[in-house]
Amino acid sequence: MATIVHCLSSCATLNSKFKALSIKGASSSSSPTSSFSTRRGSSSATVSSSLIFSQSVSQCVSFSSSSGNMLVKNKPMRQLIVCEAAPTKKADSAAKRARQAEKRRVYNKSKKSEARTRMKKVLEALDGLKKKTEAQPDEIVTVEKLIGEAYSAIDKAVKVRALHKNTGARRKSRLARRKKAVEIHHGWYVPVTAAAAEAVTMAA
């Protein structure tokens, strides 16, 4: 009997210990009955009891060691609620870096394009002024305004690191040299030679 109790409690070797399982149900009764019969060697023992199957309760089957009767205990079923949280997908770092790089590329491109446009306007104005035979010194004022706008655009591009600071300084120096070349061409500016500068210094 102790072996049968151990086999029923484990529930893993139920089919190997019992030879026949029959469940009998009556149409008039709401609870079907089942009987278990087992054979061991030459002697046989039959244990029968009614098992009540319900959707709202779970049954616990146990044996009494003294009388050998099978007892059926009803236990309330546990209600399990499974909650699945929505997965929070982390932002892909590579995709984020790609978006940031594209945003910076467009911004830097606009800054460099503005600086080039301003420089182009200054160079065109200087070329036109240089080709004029009867140019007046007052006409250089308009070019100086364009040079100031070009300097501002170059400085902004350098500030946001769209241009290197040395590149910005080189471009501003190029505009200044072209302006001075036009002034020398029309005689509005006379460069001071090294000998003249030394003579002025010694006279002072």
Side-chain angles (χ1 to χ4, degrees):
M1 184 61 67
T3 305
I4 297 176
V5 171
H6 178 70
C7 293
L8 285 176
S9 63
S10 62
C11 295
T13 59
L14 185 63
N15 293 329
S16 62
K17 296 298 180 179
F18 290 97
K19 299 297 182 180
L21 174 63
S22 62
I23 300 176
K24 299 178 181 180
S27 59
S28 61
S29 175
S30 62
S31 63
T33 60
S34 63
S35 64
F36 296 91
S37 63
T38 178
R39 295 179 182 176
R40 187 178 179 183
S42 61
S43 63
S44 64
T46 304
V47 179
S48 64
S49 178
S50 63
L51 301 179
I52 301 174
F53 298 96
S54 176
Q55 295 180 356
S56 61
V57 295
S58 62
Q59 296 176 351
C60 178
V61 180
S62 62
F63 274 94
S64 176
S65 60
S66 61
S67 61
N69 296 328
M70 184 172 61
L71 304 177
V72 178
K73 298 179 180 179
N74 295 331
K75 291 175 60 179
M77 292 184 65
R78 293 182 179 180
Q79 300 292 335
L80 299 179
I81 301 176
V82 179
C83 298
E84 183 178 358
T88 56
K89 184 180 179 181
K90 295 181 66 177
D92 191 1
S93 60
K96 183 178 180 180
R97 287 296 179 184
R99 292 194 302 269
Q100 291 176 345
E102 180 64 19
K103 185 177 180 180
R104 294 192 189 102
R105 185 189 68 81
V106 173
Y107 183 76
N108 294 339
K109 184 179 178 181
S110 65
K111 291 298 181 181
K112 290 189 287 186
S113 177
E114 182 181 1
R116 284 194 300 266
T117 302
R118 300 292 183 181
M119 288 183 63
K120 186 176 180 181
K121 288 182 179 181
V122 172
L123 295 177
E124 289 177 353
L126 288 173
D127 290 339
L129 185 60
K130 187 176 182 179
K131 292 178 181 179
K132 290 179 70 173
T133 57
E134 298 178 357
Q136 300 297 323
D138 296 338
E139 296 180 7
I140 200 67
V141 177
T142 307
V143 178
E144 288 178 351
K145 291 182 179 180
L146 295 176
I147 291 176
E149 294 176 359
Y151 281 6
S152 177
I154 292 172
D155 291 338
K156 288 179 181 179
V158 171
K159 185 177 180 180
V160 299
R161 297 182 181 182
L163 290 177
H164 195 271
K165 60 181 182 179
N166 293 349
T167 303
R170 186 174 64 252
R171 292 185 178 182
K172 290 193 291 184
S173 177
R174 182 184 302 169
L175 295 178
R177 289 197 309 269
R178 293 289 293 272
K179 172 180 173 287
K180 185 177 289 187
V182 172
E183 290 177 342
I184 292 173
H185 176 73
H186 289 288
W188 303 332
Y189 174 78
V190 178
V192 180
T193 59
E198 186 177 355
V200 171
T201 304
M202 290 181 64

